[in-house]
Amino acid sequence: MTDRVRWTGTPSWCNYFGRIAAAVLLGFGATALLLTEFEYRVAGSVGLLLIALAIFLSACWNKFSNRFTVSDRSVSAT
């Protein structure tokens, strides 16, 4: 008897809310930093944007590298 696959997919974006929120806040911080009189504001903004990008890409990597399969008899994660 073969198992019928009921569902296959990746985790929800809701699981990565913290990382995405941190990336968005760092993006806003980078934008706000550009509006200041700080001497190294451009370098600081670029640094914050790079960190935000790295955090967002790590969330994307984790979401799309995990795959779940639910069948009649088992649940598997790969």
Side-chain angles (χ1 to χ4, degrees), residues 14-48:
C14 295
N15 294 332
Y16 305 103
F17 176 77
R19 289 188 203 177
I20 294 170
V24 168
L25 287 175
L26 283 170
F28 283 137
T31 304
L33 186 59
L34 284 175
L35 302 174
T36 66
E37 296 294 324
F38 182 57
E39 183 179 356
Y40 302 108
R41 66 180 179 259
V42 174
S45 288
V46 169
L48 286 176

Side-chain angles (χ1 to χ4, degrees), residues 2 11-12 14 20 22 28 41 44-45 50 52 55 58 60 63 68-69 74 77:
T2 60
S12 170
C14 295
I20 294 170
F28 283 137
R41 66 180 179 259
S45 288
L50 288 175
I55 291 171
S58 74
C60 290
K63 177 181 174 34
F68 298 104
T69 303
S74 66

